[in-house]
């Protein structure tokens, strides 16, 4: 198979951006190189030399040599502007921004069609676990009945630390932040919003159902009290923040994010720490279980790398 050479314009050089830079250094066989990196803060000390950096988005978006934009910034609105401009100028986009994808699914789909360029975002959902491409390809003809899982690494880390290791909620959250797992506004994790954005992406790729964040209920772990933790401990259960979507009897799809008591028989019971786990049920394959690291620099960068690699053979989602 002949593969394209990719010249990447990278937006963002935080935890995942630097992770991607490191991962690309270790994959010399891939025909992809970072041409320029656009960052926001000129005063921040960077791990690599300054010749690659710019503070002007136009240097990437107007550069005809750059054929792929990799967008790894935190701000979903800014990410949407960058993605729109990139697609309109015929550049493929790889993004890890679940909020942007979940909020603008319809517009992003239209832009891809109008401009005939792909947007890939495996890293936006469950980091290292290749769930989107599996939903797209493997289950193409096998009807999905339900999908449920732990899709947020930070809250799973906090729940594991508070129940198994007796660490306080605040200390566990701080550890998740220090490890680079948590969003810069951690209420997105603890309030179940991040899990909801990921569920919206899963819904689109599993059931072809495009909804908006306000359409789905999310209850996070931030209001759980000692009572629930004590109950779980006494009964040999664990509390997990579970995102689920399932076909209802009338043919519609139900979906929500809620904390749930899970028993040792449940596949999600042993998904601890920063790991994510997803269980699918389909007509023919029956039950399948995916597991992998749900946050962190290299695990997230591995999904971005996989999308970059997929672009070298012009892969695109079919929707
Ligand atoms: N804050 C997210 C999480 C990062 O903890 O799962 C990965 O999407």
């Amino acid at each position: 198979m002949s593969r394209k050479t990719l010249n990447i314009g990278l937006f963002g050089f935080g935890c995942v951006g630097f992770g991607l830079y490191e991962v690309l250094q270790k994959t010399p066989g891939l025909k992809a190189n970072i041409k320029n990196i656009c960052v926001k803060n000129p005063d921040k000390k960077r791990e690599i030399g300054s010749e690659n950096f710019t503070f002007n988005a136009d240097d990437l978006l107007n550069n005809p040599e750059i054929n792929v934009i990799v967008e790894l910034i935190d701000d979903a609105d800014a990410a949407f502007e960058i993605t729109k401009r990139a697609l309109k100028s015929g550049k493929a986009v790889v993004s890890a921004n679940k909020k942007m994808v979940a909020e603008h699914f319809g517009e992003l789909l239209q832009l891809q069609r109008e401009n005939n360029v792909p947007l890939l975002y495996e890293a936006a959902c469950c980091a290292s676990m290749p769930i989107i491409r599996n939903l797209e390809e493997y289950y193409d003809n096998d009807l999905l009945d339900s999908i449920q899982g732990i899709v947020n690494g930070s809250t799973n880390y906090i729940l594991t630390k508070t129940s198994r290791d007796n660490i306080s909620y605040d200390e566990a959250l701080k550890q998740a932040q220090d490890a680079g797992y948590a969003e810069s506004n951690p209420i997105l994790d603890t309030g179940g919003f991040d899990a909801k954005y990921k569920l919206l992406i899963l819904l689109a790729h599993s059931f072809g159902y495009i909804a908006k964040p306000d359409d789905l209920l999310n209850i996070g772990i931030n209001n759980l009290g000692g009572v629930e933790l004590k109950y779980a401990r006494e009964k040999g259960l664990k509390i997990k923040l579970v995102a689920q979507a399932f076909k209802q009897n009338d043919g519609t799809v139900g979906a929500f994010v809620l904390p749930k008591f899970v028993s040792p028989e449940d596949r999600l019971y042993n998904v601890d720490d920063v790991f994510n786990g997803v269980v699918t049920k389909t007509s023919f394959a029956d039950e399948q279980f995916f597991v992998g690291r749900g946050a962190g620099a290299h695990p997230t960068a591995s999904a971005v790398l996989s999308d970059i690699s997929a672009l070298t053979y012009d892969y695109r989602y079919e929707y």
Side-chain angles (χ1 to χ4, degrees):
M1 190 188 312
S2 95
R3 294 194 168 211
K4 269 188 187 167
T5 299
L6 303 182
N7 294 318
I8 298 171
L10 173 63
F11 280 88
F13 205 64
C15 174
V16 181
F18 182 58
L20 177 68
Y21 176 84
E22 288 185 314
V23 160
L24 280 171
Q25 305 298 308
K26 294 177 182 164
T27 47
L30 187 65
K31 288 159 96 182
N33 60 84
I34 298 177
K35 279 263 173 213
N36 277 121
I37 305 169
C38 183
V39 288
K40 204 169 52 180
N41 183 354
D43 303 324
K44 195 165 162 188
K45 198 173 162 320
R46 311 275 167 194
E47 290 85 349
I48 62 168
S50 61
E51 68 278 7
N52 294 97
F53 290 105
T54 174
F55 307 103
N56 184 354
D58 291 345
D59 289 346
L60 276 57
L61 292 166
N62 294 342
N63 181 345
E65 278 182 44
I66 289 178
N67 52 3
V68 179
I69 294 294
V70 176
E71 174 286 299
L72 301 175
I73 63 171
D74 202 32
D75 177 338
D77 294 334
F80 185 47
E81 290 311 311
I82 290 165
T83 302
K84 274 196 294 196
R85 278 188 62 192
L87 294 174
K88 281 182 186 167
S89 61
K91 300 185 195 304
V93 179
V94 174
S95 172
N97 201 310
K98 51 259 159 161
K99 186 166 190 266
M100 174 194 76
V101 177
E103 282 180 340
H104 301 287
F105 215 97
E107 298 109 295
L108 291 169
L109 192 56
Q110 197 181 341
L111 279 167
Q112 290 173 79
R113 288 189 176 138
E114 281 170 7
N115 298 286
N116 192 26
V117 273
L119 160 67
L120 302 181
Y121 40 81
E122 188 65 66
C125 197
C126 303
S128 70
M129 187 203 295
I131 190 69
I132 300 177
R133 230 171 301 150
N134 269 302
L135 290 171
E136 274 282 308
E137 292 181 23
Y138 188 86
Y139 298 124
D140 205 18
N141 294 292
D142 190 355
L143 294 182
L144 198 79
D145 294 321
S146 70
I147 180 161
Q148 73 158 328
I150 296 167
V151 298
N152 180 271
S154 301
T155 47
N156 206 34
Y157 183 87
I158 294 168
L159 289 168
T160 304
K161 290 285 162 187
T162 49
S163 61
R164 185 190 66 196
D165 303 341
N166 259 326
I167 287 173
S168 74
Y169 181 97
D170 290 344
E171 173 56 23
L173 171 59
K174 190 176 172 302
Q175 288 182 6
Q177 288 175 306
D178 291 346
Y181 302 154
E183 301 298 303
S184 49
N185 178 359
I187 189 71
L188 293 174
D189 296 298
T190 58
F193 297 96
D194 178 85
K196 180 163 74 170
Y197 301 139
K198 290 167 179 165
L199 179 61
L200 286 160
I201 296 173
L202 293 176
L203 268 176
H205 288 278
S206 53
F207 294 102
Y209 177 62
I210 297 175
K212 289 275 186 190
D214 284 348
D215 298 335
L216 302 192
L217 172 74
N218 59 295
I219 296 182
I221 64 161
N222 46 342
N223 290 319
L224 287 177
V227 181
E228 290 88 356
L229 290 172
K230 185 165 169 279
Y231 179 84
R233 202 170 289 134
E234 283 169 6
K235 299 283 178 195
L237 306 170
K238 288 182 184 172
I239 301 177
K240 297 290 184 190
L241 185 65
V242 178
Q244 59 190 107
F246 50 92
K247 229 182 261 159
Q248 304 179 116
N249 290 340
D250 64 359
T252 59
V253 177
F256 44 77
V257 175
L258 290 176
K260 233 177 114 174
F261 289 115
V262 299
S263 65
E265 294 73 45
D266 194 310
R267 299 234 183 255
L268 300 180
Y269 185 86
N270 288 320
V271 179
D272 284 334
D273 298 297
V274 73
F275 281 83
N276 284 182
V278 168
V279 180
T280 54
K281 286 201 180 129
T282 68
S283 301
F284 306 131
D286 195 16
E287 186 180 277
Q288 284 168 305
F289 177 42
F290 299 84
V291 69
R293 284 184 186 274
H298 283 181
T300 310
S302 83
V304 177
L305 182 73
S306 177
D307 280 349
I308 291 171
S309 173
L311 285 177
T312 64
Y313 56 85
D314 212 19
Y315 176 82
R316 45 194 74 200
Y317 302 137
E318 281 179 17
Y319 295 103

